[in-house]
C-alpha cells in the first residue's frame, strides 16, 4: 500500500477532496490554486505561525525568521495583508511603530500550519533517513 493509498480513505468523503476542485472546469479553481500557492510558500507559513499568538513588529519577525531578507519579509507581509490573513497597525509615535498580527482568518490558517510544523518535527528523522538512502542509491548508480 502506498502513502497515497493509505491517505485516500480518510479524505475521500471530504467535500473539497476532489481532483476537480482545482481543475480548470471549476470556477473557483484559479483562486484556490493562488491561495494554496501563497500560503504554501515557506515564508508565509513561518509568518502566519509566528503571528498566531501575538502581534510582532517587523524587526521582531525578521529576527525570528532565519534567512529572510528585508525585501522578502516586506513582500510576504504585503501579500498576507492583501489576502486578509495579517493586519498591519501603524502607531503615530516617534519613532514610528508598526505591528503585524494575524487576523481571525489568519488564525484559522494557523491551526493547519502548526499541524504541518508538528508533522515535520515528528517525522524529520525519518525524512532525513529516506533522503540519505535515496542519495546513497543515486550515488551508487
Amino acid at each position: 500500500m502506498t502513502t497515497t493509498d493509505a491517505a485516500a480513505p480518510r479524505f475521500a468523503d471530504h467535500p473539497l477532496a476532489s481532483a476537480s476542485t482545482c481543475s480548470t472546469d471549476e470556477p473557483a479553481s484559479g483562486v484556490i490554486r493562488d491561495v494554496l500557492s501563497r500560503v504554501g510558500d515557506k515564508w508565509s507559513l513561518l509568518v502566519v505561525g509566528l503571528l498566531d499568538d501575538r502581534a510582532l513588529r517587523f524587526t521582531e519577525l525578521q529576527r525570528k525568521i532565519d534567512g529572510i531578507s528585508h525585501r522578502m519579509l516586506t513582500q510576504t507581509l504585503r501579500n498576507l495583508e492583501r489576502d486578509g490573513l495579517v493586519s498591519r497597525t501603524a502607531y503615530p509615535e516617534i519613532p514610528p511603530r508598526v505591528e503585524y498580527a494575524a487576523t481571525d482568518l489568519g488564525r484559522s490558517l494557523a491551526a493547519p500550519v502548526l499541524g504541518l510544523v508538528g508533522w515535520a518535527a515528528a517525522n524529520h528523522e525519518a525524512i532525513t533517513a529516506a533522503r540519505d538512502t535515496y542519495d546513497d542509491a543515486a550515488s551508487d548508480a
Side-chain angles (χ1 to χ4, degrees):
M1 178 185 297
T2 66
T3 304
T4 306
D5 295 337
R10 294 187 313 180
F11 302 109
D13 57 352
H14 191 282
L16 298 178
S18 163
S20 65
T21 302
C22 292
S23 77
T24 55
D25 298 335
E26 175 66 34
S29 66
V31 174
I32 292 167
R33 285 194 307 272
D34 182 51
V35 169
L36 290 174
S37 174
R38 172 75 40 78
V39 300
D41 76 69
K42 67 180 178 179
W43 303 124
S44 293
L45 291 175
L46 292 171
V47 169
V48 168
L50 286 169
L51 294 176
D52 178 47
D53 59 347
R54 69 184 184 104
L56 294 171
R57 295 177 73 168
F58 185 94
T59 53
E60 291 175 297
L61 280 167
Q62 193 169 23
R63 273 195 301 267
K64 291 177 180 281
I65 303 173
D66 186 40
I68 194 167
S69 68
H70 186 279
R71 181 179 181 275
M72 183 54 67
L73 181 55
T74 299
Q75 182 178 355
T76 300
L77 287 166
R78 284 184 184 154
N79 288 336
L80 291 171
E81 185 179 8
R82 180 175 183 250
D83 287 343
L85 301 171
V86 167
S87 65
R88 179 183 186 274
T89 305
Y91 296 93
E93 303 172 348
I94 297 179
R97 177 172 56 108
V98 177
E99 289 184 341
Y100 296 90
T103 62
D104 288 342
L105 185 61
R107 280 188 291 282
S108 73
L109 175 62
V113 166
L114 294 174
L116 182 59
V117 169
W119 178 88
N123 292 288
H124 76 278
E125 290 177 1
I127 292 168
T128 300
R131 287 177 179 174
D132 290 345
T133 300
Y134 180 90
D135 292 346
D136 289 345
S139 66
D140 291 341

